[in-house]
Amino acid sequence: MEVPFVSFRPMERALDKDIRAAFERVYDNSWYIEGKEDEKFEQAFADYIGTSYCVGCGNGLDALVLALKAFGIGHGDEVIVPSNTYIATALAVTFTGADVVFVEPDIRTYNIDPSLIEAAVTDKTKAIMPVHLYGQACDMDPIIKIAKKYDLKVIEDCAQAHGATYKGRRVGTFGDAAGFSFYPGKNLGALGDAGAAVTNDKEAADKIRAYGNYGSDYKYHHIYKGQNSRLDEFQAAFLSAKLPHLDRMNEERRRIASKYLSGITNPLITLPYTADYAKPVWHIFAIRCERKDELQKFLKEAGISTNNHYPIPMHLQGAYKDLGFKKGDFPIAEQISETEVSIPMYYGMTDEQIEYVITKINEFS
């Protein structure tokens, strides 16, 4: 049996008519940037997340960059980020001119460890950027407490956590702003690159929109040195077609995760830990194994595709060699990188596929 790591086909078949209708609507309207589709999606997504404002932009990285800039973060500032995440989180900080400060994750949840944040705060620290990694919410209460104590901004990276909740409330509503990615593989994915920033701060929302529109608050009037990062009408329409189905599709991911959690019993495998405060949406189902390469080879030979999130931690990437870190400086992030294996997780997996993955993982020895 062949089990891909991810497949869009089941979702595409389920939403085919809606997606095609969205395309036709935009095409017939002949308006492709900053139109009614963008407005419609921004309002719907803000309502879904539970914020007052949503600003569409070109991608998830830009959403974070623009949010940071909206709060005046730049050269000479420091922003705390987890040492275990996709590099876009750190790049967002770098692109503002601010300095990245890495803090280790909790080995159980893979998210930033709140107990380690305060020690990283300096007089240059201006923000904390928690990442709700793999679709599980960070422990936000202690993070917000630290932020208030030191007058820091909190910018949530929600790129993998559309619809995830912390103590019953959706992520993206705890900080001063949050960034979402709608890359096609996300739980809520466009048919190309797309992103959005959400906030309850009107001034910040206006700045995010202006910064993403060449620094312009109205046509040919430029108040900032901005950039071009806008959500186009096609992607907004596609996202509007998908958004009403997001909760249902997240529930299907939870069903698959439940089967994995109860069915995988191999003692060589460390299963994901779900914190009591979190209701994950399982963007990634990340297991760990000390013999990662052997496990992946075994599964590949059985027709099961896997992935690694992420095989090289950020502090050891060439992009950040200027920071001078070496192997051993962030041992928890390194341990996760050396042992993490992402197994198939997507809407539309059949029970036969799920059971096959479980069986083969349990057979690994």
Side-chain angles (χ1 to χ4, degrees):
M1 178 184 292
E2 296 291 326
V3 185
F5 175 67
V6 66
S7 173
F8 300 148
R9 296 304 300 163
M11 179 176 59
E12 289 170 348
R13 285 194 295 268
L15 303 181
D16 182 74
K17 290 183 179 179
D18 292 341
I19 294 296
R20 292 181 186 277
F23 173 84
E24 294 291 343
R25 189 169 65 247
V26 175
Y27 189 67
D28 289 344
N29 195 39
S30 298
W31 191 286
Y32 305 111
I33 298 289
E34 294 186 308
K36 293 180 179 178
E37 297 291 344
D38 191 15
E39 292 178 7
K40 175 185 174 183
F41 173 72
E42 287 180 348
Q43 185 61 61
F45 193 67
D47 291 345
Y48 175 81
I49 295 300
T51 56
S52 299
Y53 308 99
C54 169
V55 181
C57 49
N59 53 69
L61 171 58
D62 285 354
L64 296 174
V65 173
L66 298 174
L68 289 166
K69 286 184 175 180
F71 290 104
I73 294 167
H75 291 279
D77 297 332
E78 293 178 351
V79 177
I80 292 171
V81 304
S83 58
N84 177 57
T85 183
Y86 185 56
I87 198 170
T89 310
L91 289 175
V93 177
T94 301
F95 290 166
T96 69
D99 295 323
V100 174
V101 176
F102 294 126
V103 167
E104 287 272 69
D106 183 324
I107 190 61
R108 301 174 304 163
T109 65
Y110 310 137
N111 284 328
I112 193 167
D113 187 339
S115 70
L116 303 178
I117 292 175
E118 191 165 10
V121 176
T122 72
D123 57 359
K124 295 181 179 180
T125 307
K126 294 296 186 292
I128 305 169
M129 188 177 284
V131 181
H132 305 292
L133 198 65
Y134 305 153
Q136 176 166 206
C138 294
D139 190 1
M140 292 305 298
D141 283 350
I143 293 173
I144 297 299
K145 184 177 180 180
I146 293 168
K148 288 181 177 179
K149 179 178 179 179
Y150 293 97
D151 192 24
L152 306 177
K153 298 299 180 184
V154 175
I155 311 296
E156 297 174 70
D157 184 338
C158 302
Q160 301 182 4
H162 314 70
T165 62
Y166 173 78
K167 297 184 177 179
R169 183 170 140 197
R170 295 197 200 279
V171 299
T173 62
F174 296 90
D176 297 276
F180 286 84
S181 166
F182 303 123
Y183 179 78
K186 305 300 186 185
N187 292 36
L188 179 62
L191 303 189
D193 273 322
V198 300
T199 182
N200 288 315
D201 186 323
K202 185 180 186 305
E203 182 180 356
D206 290 343
K207 286 183 177 180
I208 291 168
R209 192 176 299 282
Y211 272 120
N213 188 31
Y214 298 97
S216 173
D217 54 349
Y218 60 89
K219 197 170 182 67
Y220 300 134
H221 185 258
H222 304 272
I223 52 178
Y224 309 114
K225 294 175 181 176
Q227 63 193 74
N228 177 17
S229 183
R230 299 171 297 197
L231 178 63
D232 73 64
E233 289 287 276
F234 278 118
Q235 301 306 337
F238 297 148
L239 290 165
S240 289
K242 288 185 172 185
L243 181 58
H245 304 276
L246 177 58
D247 284 344
R248 174 173 61 84
M249 292 184 173
N250 280 342
E251 282 302 321
E252 175 63 9
R253 287 175 176 267
R254 293 187 180 110
R255 186 184 76 85
I256 297 167
S258 179
K259 283 183 171 290
Y260 280 159
L261 290 169
S262 62
I264 297 173
T265 57
N266 191 328
L268 298 175
I269 304 300
T270 299
L271 290 168
Y273 167 84
T274 302
D276 291 341
Y277 51 71
K279 187 176 182 181
V281 291
W282 300 105
H283 173 62
I284 299 293
F285 194 93
I287 62 176
R288 287 193 295 116
C289 179
E290 295 296 329
R291 293 160 52 201
K292 177 182 76 171
D293 293 342
E294 294 174 60
L295 173 62
Q296 289 193 275
K297 182 173 183 282
F298 175 81
L299 293 176
K300 183 178 181 180
E301 290 173 350
I304 299 170
S305 296
T306 60
N307 208 331
N308 301 127
H309 294 85
Y310 301 96
I312 304 173
M314 288 183 296
H315 67 284
L316 299 180
Q317 295 278 2
Y320 283 105
K321 64 182 179 181
D322 59 305
L323 298 182
F325 293 118
K326 62 183 184 304
K327 188 172 176 59
D329 286 343
F330 294 93
I332 300 177
E334 291 171 24
Q335 181 183 357
I336 295 170
S337 292
E338 291 165 1
T339 59
E340 192 274 344
V341 176
S342 303
I343 63 175
M345 168 60 72
Y346 56 91
Y347 173 81
M349 282 187 75
T350 66
D351 286 342
E352 185 181 17
Q353 287 175 317
I354 298 165
E355 293 302 327
Y356 182 68
V357 173
I358 292 170
T359 297
K360 288 302 175 183
I361 290 177
N362 285 338
E363 285 179 1
F364 177 70
S365 64

